[in-house]
Amino acid sequence: MSRKTTPPLANFTVGPFFPPHFVEAGCNDLTRVGTESAKGKRIVLTGRVTDSENEPAINVILEIWQADANGVFRHPVDPRSARADPGFSGWGRAFTDQQGRYRFTTVMPGAYVAENGVPRCPHINLMMLGSGIMRRLITTVFFAERPESVSDPVLECVEDMTTRPRLFAVRDTTFDAEGVQAFRFDIVLRGECETPFFLD
């Protein structure tokens, strides 16, 4: 006996679904708080969000949070938060366009040692919500000149060594500007080349 399948309904997916104005102008730029400007090396993080057929995922909300250039989080959970850069917000939001592209302006996050004494590789935490996504997706964007030599507890959660490189941003000189380096981090939602995602 064959079973018919039906496409997911709205109540089966993460909602509500956000209009583009949910992302306020400048929300994707983490390098200024009021009149203060962030310290450290400015970077652009950009990329595409696609499905297994390389079709763009449109109007996906992306949020990032990260340490400042000195490896300090602007959050009370970080015991060093009093030393956080006052010009760096540490959090940003963007959405994908009709080509599935997104863009953030931020600073290169600093490495730091976690409270348990384990060193952390420079990274940006990333979360996504969107139509057709059954739950919010969380991943990590790592930065390293030699990814194969990186030791990080989150990276080591990915047991398949061949998929670990998918968690590293790569230089993309296409979007370089004066004093700003650009990095590309493409996200594949499903399929053989799926980006590794982590439980919340």
Side-chain angles (χ1 to χ4, degrees):
M1 180 179 176
S2 62
R3 298 175 61 186
K4 292 183 178 180
T5 59
T6 57
L9 302 176
N11 60 323
F12 295 151
T13 60
V14 172
F17 305 123
F18 307 106
H21 63 258
F22 179 73
V23 179
E24 298 176 1
C27 207
N28 63 338
D29 187 346
L30 288 66
T31 62
R32 180 173 290 276
V33 177
T35 59
E36 299 272 357
S37 294
K39 301 177 178 64
K41 182 170 69 176
R42 279 207 169 80
I43 64 171
V44 166
L45 179 66
T46 185
R48 291 185 74 218
V49 182
T50 59
D51 62 17
S52 59
E53 303 299 324
N54 201 36
E55 291 296 320
I58 301 169
N59 200 25
V60 171
I61 299 294
L62 299 96
E63 293 185 354
I64 63 172
W65 63 100
Q66 64 169 95
D68 62 22
N70 293 317
V72 179
F73 286 90
R74 187 177 178 174
H75 192 281
V77 171
D78 189 336
R80 306 162 301 157
S81 60
R83 304 201 304 268
D85 181 356
F88 182 67
S89 68
W91 174 90
R93 177 184 288 153
F95 70 95
T96 57
D97 61 17
Q98 294 297 308
Q99 286 74 48
R101 298 188 184 280
Y102 70 90
R103 179 187 178 101
F104 289 98
T105 301
T106 183
V107 300
M108 177 63 73
Y112 63 93
V113 178
E115 287 187 72
N116 59 3
V118 176
R120 296 298 313 277
C121 174
H123 65 276
I124 292 175
N125 301 297
L126 186 149
M127 184 276 294
M128 292 183 297
L129 293 170
S131 177
I133 299 176
M134 306 304 177
R135 59 178 175 85
R136 69 177 190 163
L137 300 176
I138 296 176
T139 192
T140 303
V141 186
F142 291 98
F143 296 84
E145 292 184 1
R146 296 178 57 214
E148 68 280 359
S149 65
V150 170
S151 176
D152 184 277
V154 173
L155 186 65
E156 289 168 5
C157 291
V158 181
E159 296 180 356
D160 185 351
M161 299 287 288
T162 64
T163 64
R164 289 186 182 182
R166 300 175 195 171
L167 291 175
F168 286 86
V170 296
R171 284 280 288 116
D172 187 347
T173 57
T174 306
F175 296 97
D176 277 0
E178 185 176 353
V180 180
Q181 286 188 337
F183 291 83
R184 186 181 181 96
F185 185 74
D186 291 330
I187 301 167
V188 180
L189 297 178
R190 61 183 65 87
E192 291 185 5
C193 297
E194 179 179 322
T195 299
F197 298 107
F198 303 99
L199 294 177
D200 192 357

